[in-house]
Amino acid sequence: MENEEKKAEAPKGFEALLKQNEIAEAKEKADKKIEPIEERIRKEAPKPSLSSIKTLRTFKGDVEESISHGGTTIVSMASAKARAQAMRKGVDSIVSSIKSGKTKRLGLYLLCFILIIGSLGVLYYIYSSIQGGSAVVLNIEAPLIFVEKSATIDTTGSSPQKIKLAITDERNNANEKIGTMIEVLLTKTTVTADNKTATAAFSTSDFFQTLDLKAPSSLTRALGPQFLLAVHVFDGNQAFLIFKTTSYENAFAGMLDWESSIETTVGGILRKEGDFKMVGTSTPSLAGRTFQDFVYKNTDTRALRNEAGKILMIYAFPTRDTLIIASNEKTLGAVMDRLTNRQIVQ
């Protein structure tokens, strides 16, 4: 019985020895320096071949790759594909429209329009070159008072008498409601040094010189460059003049000197020449009648009357820098009112 117990214990001792050896081997392996896992992966990973590299990306491949990395579903990929197909259909529709006959005709019309505009531009350039690059330059200032209308007279190449007749025609033919004032703008055209055509409004010196009004130099030197010639639609249409003065004393003295001849020079511009003739005679003047002082609307004026006492010409300095010459006192008063209103607005 003891022998049987020894035989039974023998295998158990062998198994214990094997376990001890296995534990020793495991411990020995653990004691060895183990190579980092990253290095082992790099060494053990198969070398990629040229044939394994993707050279072409496809929609299917992108879908598979996106799904393999997560965050994308089959539904979202299908939606993206549908949008791409819709975009392609839109592009195809535009291309088909461009290729259609209707669009071709529209393109042809547009091309013809562009060619016509280009041709006109070339013709204009050629014409401008032939004309030496001429251009119109306007030098027109705002009237000294408010006027309802404006009429322009080009005096280029005209004689003083012809210009006066043109002014008379504008005065006689004015057909507006009572109280209307119409500017008569005198202009002249000249050629500049660079061969351009310049059209400018008359200055005060142009007015006196071109119409040969024979005003004293003391007067013309005392007047500013801007003036206004206009028609007042009232009592058969009356004309008037406004000047700006640079020296009140010299302007007033010059007007006194001009009184003796102003009737024959400016009279025909402001009213009919026949108005200055003596009644019942052919005398072309008022037989030595002179200007006299006359107070109108609290303003000192100088007036020329006929034998019946009717005012034929009147002038005044409502302010020290303004001279008005009119054909009657009513027109003078209307001009002074507008001049006052303009000063209030400014």
Side-chain angles (χ1 to χ4, degrees), residues 164 213 259-268 273 276 284-285 313:
K164 289 179 181 180
L213 297 181
E259 284 182 356
S260 60
S261 60
I262 190 173
E263 166 205 333
T264 58
T265 56
V266 179
E273 291 185 359
F276 293 96
S285 72
M313 190 176 297

Side-chain angles (χ1 to χ4, degrees), residues 5 18 24 77 103 137 140 143 157 190 195 198-199 217 239 265 279-280 287 312:
E5 290 178 355
L18 289 175
M77 284 296 179
T103 307
V137 180
I140 300 174
T190 59
N195 202 29
T199 301
S217 58
T265 56
V279 176
L312 302 178

Side-chain angles (χ1 to χ4, degrees), residues 140-178:
I140 300 174
E141 298 182 80
L144 294 175
I145 61 170
F146 170 73
V147 294
E148 284 81 4
K149 296 184 65 177
S150 180
T152 301
I153 297 176
D154 183 5
T155 66
T156 306
S158 299
S159 65
Q161 187 61 27
K162 188 175 180 179
I163 297 172
K164 289 179 181 180
L165 288 175
I167 296 172
T168 300
D169 288 342
E170 290 292 342
R171 183 193 69 213
N172 294 338
N173 296 329
N175 186 21
E176 302 293 335
K177 67 179 181 179
I178 300 298

Side-chain angles (χ1 to χ4, degrees), residues 24 35 42 72 89 99 136 143 153 159 191 313 321 324 340 344:
E35 190 175 18
R42 185 182 66 80
T72 305
K89 287 182 180 180
K99 291 181 178 179
V136 176
I153 297 176
S159 65
V191 178
M313 190 176 297
D321 63 349
I324 302 173
T340 301
I344 291 174

